[in-house]
């Protein structure tokens, strides 16, 4: 479960140095795997597979940096975490299950993140300010309790993530 207050503090920092489309607090989540567009049938297949998985117990992650995907005027800012072995194993379990459903394997490397903003114009000055911020950032903990499958819904021009399935991590 994201610590929305601490994550939104990172968004406040970003707003002070860059313009973009910032993630509303209610849409904050840690992305394990982005699926993109899929049919209702495919979503049902994914839900069935996720429900059948043997998952690890809950674990704690450390949010320790802000980073960016993309360049120029199309960057996405994100809050990054460490990758403890239990988290890497969880990703592997989910990834293999999604491959079995017909999704492509992740070829960019595992980069768990919380999207803070999209559409940023990423300049060297912003990158320098972010690097300085990361050096002074006090890492904070996030507790992972399970996996949620979200559907992106745009209504009246506003993007919302609606949970379609929550699968709790297994307790001993």
């Amino acid at each position: 479960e994201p610590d929305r207050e601490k994550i939104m503090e990172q968004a406040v920092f970003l707003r002070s140095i860059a313009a973009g489309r910032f993630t509303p607090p209610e849409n904050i989540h840690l992305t394990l795997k982005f699926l993109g567009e899929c049919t209702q049938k495919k979503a049902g297949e994914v839900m069935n597979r996720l429900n059948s998985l043997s998952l690890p117990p809950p674990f704690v992650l450390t949010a320790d940096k802000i980073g960016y995907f993309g360049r120029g005027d199309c960057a996405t800012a994100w809050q990054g975490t460490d990758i403890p072995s239990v988290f890497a194993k969880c990703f592997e379990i989910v990834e293999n299950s999604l491959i079995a459903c017909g999704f492509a394997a992740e070829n960019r490397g595992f980069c768990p993140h919380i999207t803070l903003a999209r559409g940023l114009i990423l300049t060297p000055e912003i990158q320098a300010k972010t690097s300085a911020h990361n050096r002074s950032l006090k890492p904070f903990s996030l507790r992972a309790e399970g996996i949620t499958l979200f559907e992106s819904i745009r209504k009246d021009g506003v993007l919302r993530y609606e949970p379609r399935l929550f699968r709790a991590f297994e307790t001993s």
Side-chain angles (χ1 to χ4, degrees):
E1 177 65 21
D3 182 331
R4 292 182 199 292
E5 185 176 312
K6 288 187 177 166
I7 293 165
M8 294 317 293
E9 288 174 13
Q10 304 312 306
V12 167
F13 160 74
L14 283 171
R15 280 181 196 272
S16 74
I17 65 168
R21 296 183 317 278
F22 287 82
T23 302
E26 63 272 14
N27 282 356
I28 294 292
H29 64 278
L30 177 69
T31 300
L32 178 66
K33 171 83 174 179
F34 178 75
L35 301 181
E37 295 279 329
C38 68
T39 65
Q40 288 291 353
K41 180 180 178 186
K42 183 68 77 175
E45 223 181 295
V46 169
M47 288 190 270
N48 287 337
R49 286 222 180 245
L50 290 178
N51 274 325
S52 70
L53 296 178
S54 176
L55 295 173
F59 53 91
V60 175
L61 301 165
T62 301
D64 57 1
K65 63 189 159 290
I66 291 176
Y68 299 95
F69 297 131
R71 294 192 178 112
D73 63 355
C74 193
T76 297
W78 47 266
Q79 174 73 58
T81 71
D82 64 340
I83 306 175
S85 59
V86 67
F87 194 22
K89 182 65 177 166
C90 181
F91 172 77
E92 181 183 324
I93 291 167
V94 170
E95 176 81 340
N96 288 337
S97 179
L98 293 170
I99 290 168
C101 286
F103 288 92
E106 184 60 63
N107 61 3
R108 296 171 290 191
F110 179 39
C111 185
H113 64 279
I114 299 166
T115 300
L116 299 172
R118 293 177 177 82
L120 298 176
I121 298 172
L122 191 55
T123 65
E125 179 184 6
I126 289 171
Q127 289 177 310
K129 287 180 178 180
T130 302
S131 292
H133 177 79
N134 282 343
R135 286 190 296 277
S136 66
L137 177 65
K138 182 179 178 194
F140 56 94
S141 297
L142 305 169
R143 184 165 169 81
E145 299 282 348
I147 296 172
T148 304
L149 180 64
F150 288 101
E151 180 179 6
S152 301
I153 298 174
R154 189 169 297 278
K155 186 174 181 185
D156 300 324
V158 177
L159 181 65
R160 295 283 179 242
Y161 297 126
E162 296 290 332
R164 295 296 174 230
L165 169 80
F166 175 75
R167 174 70 202 288
F169 289 140
E170 297 170 3
T171 55
S172 330

